[in-house]
Amino acid sequence: MLKSKLTLAVVVAVLLSLASAIGLLHSSPSAQAEAPLQSDGVKPLLAHSPASAYPIDYFQISPLVVDPNVSETVQLKFTSDGTVTSMKLALATGVTKTLVQVGNVFSTTLTPAQALFGYTASDYNHNIVGRLHVYQGPIDAGAFGVFVNVKDDSIPDVSSSYGGCFILCAYKQSAHVVNLWMPWLDAANPNVISITQQFYRYFGDDYDFLSIVIVPERYANRYHANVQNNVSGIGLPLSDNTAFYGSGGRLLGFTEYPLSTYFDMASQASLHEIGHQWINYLRSNELRGVTPHWPISSLAYGMMGWQDASGEGLEFPWTFTPIGSDRYQLAWADYALTYNSMELYLMGLAPASSVGGFVVANDQSAMPCSGCIVTATIPYKVADVIRDYGARSPAYPSARRKFRVATIVVTQSRDLLSDREMAFFDHMAARGSLMTPLNYSEGFASGVTWPFYLATSRRGCLITTIASDGACYTEFMPLLKR
C-alpha cells in the first residue's frame, strides 16, 4: 500500500510539472502583487482573500453537494491554525461527535441520515448538519454552523464540458458556471488575482462582475471589491486596476464567497455586495462619520443596511415615525426587498429628483430597537451628495442598467466538480437573472428574496450566462443601456 501511494505521488508530481511547463499552472509576477484597490471597507483587500477570522484556517466537505436520492457518506475535514486542541460536532440529530485529530487536521464522517436530518423541500437546497465547537484547551472558541448544499429534485441536471485540457484539464464549464482547477493556491489565503488571471486565459473580457466561490472553504465574510470605478459623484475616486486582474478594461469588480452554502446570486446578501460597487463611499458630515455602511437612519432601510460597532453591515428592519421636536420613533417593519431611492440614485438607476429626504439619528451609539426614540436634527438629501461630490456621471437615464456576471468556482485540494456539484452551482448562479420573487435559505435565515431586476424596481438586470450575452426583458425596460 505504501509503495502504491508513493508511486501515485510521483505520477501526480510529474503531471503537475508538465502542466506548469505548458502554462496550465499559470502564475505571473503581477499575480503576486498587491493591487491598489478600493474595497467596501469591511475587509482590507490586497492580492489575497481575507483569512478566516477564526482558529479554523479552512475546511472541506466531501461531497460538496449531497443528493437525498443517493445514499453516501459525507466527510468533514477542518484544518486549524495550530491553537486548537479538540473539536466536537453537535449534530442536529442530538448526537455529539468528537472529531479525529491528526496534527492540525480534525475530521469525521457523517451517515446520509446525519447529513440530511430533517431536510425538506422547504429548506431550499441547504441543510444544517449541526454546530461545531472548537476548543483551545478548556476554552470553547464558539459554535460554528455546519451546513451542506443539497441538490434535490428542484434542481435540474445540466450539461457541462471540459476545457484547457492537455494531460490535465484546467476547467469545467456549464451554462452559468466555470469551475477552475487550481491546486497550487494557498488554501488559507487564496490569491484572487491568480484566480482572475487564470479565468481570463480561457474566457473573454465579457463580464462586468465576477462571483468567486473558493473550495476549500473558510469561515470569513463574503465581500465585494472594486476593480475599477468609472463613475463620479458617488464619493469614490476614479480608478482602473483591470490590468492586474487580466481584464482588458471591462471588469468593474468581484465578490468572493468563502462559504459555498452562502452563494446565491438572487439573495439579498449578493445584491448588497453588488451594491457596494457604487454605494457607501459618501463621507458627508450628515452621515455622522459612519462608513462603509449606512448609519442608523432611514437610509439603512434598503439593500445596504446599517453598520454596528464592528463595522459589519446588518439589515435594518425599522421605519421612522415623527413624533415632534426632531424626535422619531422606530417601528418594526418587514425586511426591505429593494434598494431605496438614494441607493438607486448612486447606482445610476434613478434620477436625483426621485430621491427624498432621509432621517439620520444624532446618536449612533445606541442600538436600534422597536419603539426606540431617536433625535435627528439634520435631514440628508441628494442635494447634500451633489454639494459634496458633484452630480453623478453618468447619470440616469444614460447610466448602464444591464450587467453581466460570471460565476467561478475554484477547487484547490480536490478534482474538478462533479456533475451534481456543477448542477447545484449553475442553479444558484442562474437565479440572479430571474425576474420573480424566490424562496431562499442562507445559514440560519430563510424567506423570500427579490432578484436584482425586482430589487432595482425593474430598472436593472443581471445576465449570468457564461457563453452568451443574454437579454433582459426589454419590454419592461425601455431605457435599457448595454
Side-chain angles (χ1 to χ4, degrees):
M1 180 65 72
L2 177 60
K3 182 178 179 180
S4 65
K5 287 185 177 179
L6 288 174
T7 302
L8 178 61
V10 171
V11 171
V12 170
V14 171
L15 291 176
L16 290 177
S17 178
L18 287 171
S20 180
I22 65 174
L24 178 60
L25 304 189
H26 172 73
S27 179
S28 67
S30 64
Q32 307 303 325
E34 296 185 350
L37 290 181
Q38 300 289 338
S39 74
D40 68 9
V42 176
K43 294 288 183 182
L45 182 67
L46 300 175
H48 295 270
S49 305
S52 171
Y54 308 105
I56 298 173
D57 281 345
Y58 54 90
F59 68 94
Q60 187 152 307
I61 299 177
S62 182
L64 189 57
V65 178
V66 299
D67 186 339
N69 299 312
V70 178
S71 180
E72 61 187 340
T73 59
V74 176
Q75 295 181 323
L76 309 179
K77 185 181 292 185
F78 299 86
T79 300
S80 78
D81 64 359
T83 66
V84 177
T85 54
S86 64
M87 294 188 191
K88 294 183 178 181
L89 179 60
L91 295 170
T93 62
V95 174
T96 296
K97 301 189 68 172
T98 299
L99 277 64
V100 176
Q101 179 181 4
V102 178
N104 292 335
V105 179
F106 298 78
S107 61
T108 190
T109 300
L110 305 178
T111 66
Q114 290 171 331
L116 289 169
F117 178 79
Y119 179 79
T120 67
S122 61
D123 290 310
Y124 305 115
N125 308 113
H126 300 102
N127 195 49
I128 178 170
V129 171
R131 291 172 171 80
L132 183 70
H133 294 270
V134 179
Y135 295 93
Q136 296 168 304
I139 300 174
D140 187 346
F144 305 97
V146 178
F147 302 86
V148 291
N149 300 307
V150 182
K151 179 189 179 298
D152 58 19
D153 294 337
S154 68
I155 297 181
D157 294 333
V158 298
S159 60
S160 56
S161 59
Y162 293 91
C165 299
F166 182 83
I167 303 177
L168 301 171
C169 290
Y171 69 88
K172 191 174 183 180
Q173 176 186 348
S174 65
H176 302 91
V177 171
V178 172
N179 171 208
L180 295 179
W181 183 62
M182 301 182 66
W184 61 93
L185 281 181
D186 181 348
N189 295 284
N191 188 300
V192 177
I193 294 178
S194 290
I195 293 170
T196 59
Q197 288 187 349
Q198 185 76 352
F199 173 78
Y200 284 117
R201 283 174 63 84
Y202 302 103
F203 295 89
D205 190 27
D206 302 321
Y207 310 95
D208 303 296
F209 296 110
L210 300 177
S211 295
I212 303 172
V213 182
I214 303 178
V215 180
E217 305 176 63
R218 305 181 317 282
Y219 282 113
N221 285 336
R222 75 206 125 195
Y223 68 94
H224 179 83
N226 299 76
V227 171
Q228 71 165 309
N229 175 49
N230 51 20
V231 177
S232 61
I234 61 174
L236 188 64
L238 299 177
S239 62
D240 185 353
N241 295 296
T242 53
F244 282 99
Y245 291 84
S247 166
R250 177 165 177 175
L251 183 64
L252 297 177
F254 66 86
T255 300
E256 188 195 328
Y257 298 81
L259 294 167
S260 69
T261 51
Y262 282 70
F263 171 70
D264 179 355
M265 281 302 299
S267 74
Q268 290 167 274
S270 291
L271 303 188
H272 170 99
E273 298 302 340
I274 289 175
H276 271 307
Q277 179 68 30
W278 307 277
I279 307 170
N280 292 131
Y281 301 103
L282 305 177
R283 301 293 189 274
S284 301
N285 292 333
E286 292 87 347
L287 298 180
R288 314 293 191 260
V290 177
T291 182
H293 298 96
W294 294 124
I296 298 172
S297 62
S298 55
L299 282 163
Y301 190 75
M303 202 56 62
M304 304 310 293
W306 72 291
Q307 180 173 302
D308 66 5
S310 71
E312 185 174 0
L314 303 172
E315 289 186 286
F316 191 87
W318 295 283
T319 57
F320 286 69
T321 301
I323 57 176
S325 302
D326 295 330
R327 298 165 72 242
Y328 297 81
Q329 185 173 39
L330 300 187
W332 181 268
D334 291 334
Y335 289 105
L337 294 172
T338 62
Y339 297 95
N340 63 42
S341 61
M342 180 68 81
E343 293 167 347
L344 290 173
Y345 166 77
L346 294 170
M347 296 171 75
L349 298 178
S353 59
S354 71
V355 183
F358 293 89
V359 174
V360 181
N362 292 335
D363 182 5
Q364 292 292 317
S365 63
M367 286 290 292
C369 64
S370 185
C372 289
I373 306 298
V374 301
T375 59
T377 54
I378 305 175
Y380 190 62
K381 301 178 180 179
V382 70
D384 299 315
V385 179
I386 296 172
R387 174 201 65 203
D388 293 335
Y389 303 102
R392 190 195 196 277
S393 179
Y396 176 89
S398 298
R400 292 182 56 203
R401 299 183 170 201
K402 173 183 173 181
F403 304 95
R404 191 172 174 192
V405 185
T407 293
I408 306 168
V409 180
V410 181
T411 44
Q412 183 264 351
S413 62
R414 50 158 289 173
D415 296 332
L416 290 165
L417 297 177
S418 67
D419 290 343
R420 179 202 307 169
E421 293 165 339
M422 287 292 291
F424 175 85
F425 288 106
D426 187 276
H427 175 79
M428 289 298 170
R431 282 164 56 92
S433 61
L434 299 182
M435 300 185 174
T436 59
L438 299 171
N439 293 307
Y440 82 98
S441 69
E442 188 175 81
F444 296 102
S446 62
V448 174
T449 186
W450 285 11
F452 190 78
Y453 172 72
L454 294 180
T456 58
S457 300
R458 296 179 169 85
R459 297 165 184 257
C461 77
L462 298 181
I463 303 301
T464 59
T465 48
I466 299 297
S468 62
D469 190 33
C472 302
Y473 287 98
T474 53
E475 62 267 30
F476 295 114
M477 303 177 67
L479 296 176
L480 178 69
K481 299 293 180 181
R482 291 183 181 273

